[in-house]
Amino acid sequence: AGKYITSNNNSNPTCGACASPNYSDGANQTSCKKCADLTAPSVTGGTYSSVSPYNANTTCRYVGPNKDTPANCSGISKNTVSYNGSAWGTGLYTVTSAAGRRITANNTSAPTCAVCGAGTYTSSTNQTSCSNVSAGYYNTGCGTSATGAVCSTSYSGGGIGAGYYCSAGAKKKNPTSASDSVSSSAQCGACTSPLTTIGYGPGADEAGDCGRKFHAGDGYLYLRSTKKGSKALNVKVGSTTFYGNMSTTEKNMSDGVSKKLKVKDGNTTYWVHDDSVN
């Protein structure tokens, strides 16, 4: 193996040695086999080679063709893969990613990266998952620059954490740290303790959402500190009045709560709820 007979059954028989990109995997072969004739790899093009002692198809190697850097990745490199006797290795390409991004598939024929989504971030390179931003901050998934440059995107209701609020239209920086600050024009803030919010969406998009969590039976809702609409359930805690929204349309008490709270005013039935189910 690794050799082949170049001339035989004569007065001066000769043999030769196989070399890259070929091999010989048995005795008494009269030619070398081509690595390129093995089962095709998962991509087309590329370069075949083999390594000493060239005595089996497992000495064959393959490098894929050049490939553009995938979207949201910061770089890509080619790998040399080996033939395992029945198929080529699959780790053809390796990608890198910048802060604010994550690698979603790597060491494959088609690696991918993604921008961290709403409420998450990465602060270092080549991460495979994004972490949650700190309470009181937000991000909606932002950025076209793999270098993590600052960009502005309007807040659209992503999670910011219970006890905080951010108005629609507030701006943010690219998600590269747990406490990326909002711009000076942003209307974001923390509720005064012990007030709280649901922590996301319409139930946390203005200061008036700061209020108290109100329990009724097995259900609950988030009362506001400011009245919204012409009708509201007034709940007094100490000397402070908080407000539950009231609607003549049947609604659950809060997002993720299957319970309903009904009250009557004269002959009219109302359902009490918070902003998260508006």
Side-chain angles (χ1 to χ4, degrees), residues 21-199:
N22 305 314
Y23 69 96
S24 173
D25 57 359
N28 303 323
Q29 301 296 304
T30 58
S31 64
C32 297
K33 297 178 180 179
K34 298 178 180 179
C35 292
D37 290 339
L38 294 168
T39 304
S42 57
V43 296
T44 58
T47 303
Y48 295 89
S49 63
S50 55
V51 296
S52 180
Y54 312 103
N55 61 351
N57 59 18
T58 53
T59 66
C60 289
R61 304 291 184 263
Y62 175 77
V63 176
N66 292 336
K67 191 178 184 71
D68 291 339
T69 301
N72 298 311
C73 296
S74 58
I76 187 169
S77 58
K78 299 185 292 184
N79 299 321
T80 300
V81 297
S82 301
Y83 197 75
N84 66 8
S86 60
W88 291 101
T90 57
L92 290 168
Y93 299 96
T94 296
V95 291
T96 56
S97 66
R101 310 288 194 273
R102 65 186 177 96
I103 297 172
T104 51
N106 208 3
N107 299 313
T108 71
S109 59
T112 54
C113 300
V115 176
C116 289
T120 65
Y121 77 99
T122 57
S123 60
S124 58
T125 60
N126 304 327
Q127 300 301 299
T128 57
S129 62
C130 301
S131 302
N132 292 328
V133 297
S134 297
Y137 298 89
Y138 66 93
N139 104 37
T140 56
C142 175
T144 57
S145 170
T147 62
V150 173
C151 59
S152 293
T153 293
S154 294
Y155 173 69
S156 59
I160 57 172
Y164 297 87
Y165 63 91
C166 266
S167 301
K171 304 296 184 182
K172 70 168 189 63
K173 287 184 178 180
N174 204 45
T176 59
S177 75
S179 57
D180 272 344
S181 61
V182 297
S183 70
S184 59
S185 62
Q187 298 175 359
C188 298
C191 301
T192 303
S193 181
L195 305 188
T196 191
T197 65
I198 195 171

Side-chain angles (χ1 to χ4, degrees), residues 4 6 22 87 125 149 157-158 179 201 207 222 257 278:
Y4 68 102
T6 57
N22 305 314
T125 60
S179 57
Y222 289 85
V257 177
N278 275 346

Side-chain angles (χ1 to χ4, degrees), residues 194-256:
L195 305 188
T196 191
T197 65
I198 195 171
Y200 59 88
D205 63 0
E206 59 180 332
D209 285 318
C210 292
R212 301 298 290 263
K213 190 174 183 179
F214 175 71
H215 293 265
D218 294 331
Y220 63 85
L221 59 91
Y222 289 85
L223 300 171
R224 296 171 50 84
S225 56
T226 59
K227 185 178 178 181
K228 192 172 187 178
S230 59
K231 288 283 187 180
L233 176 69
N234 295 3
V235 178
K236 201 160 191 180
V237 180
S239 59
T240 304
T241 301
F242 298 93
Y243 305 91
N245 299 338
M246 290 171 55
S247 174
T248 54
T249 302
E250 184 175 343
K251 294 183 178 183
N252 292 333
M253 296 172 67
S254 186
D255 180 44

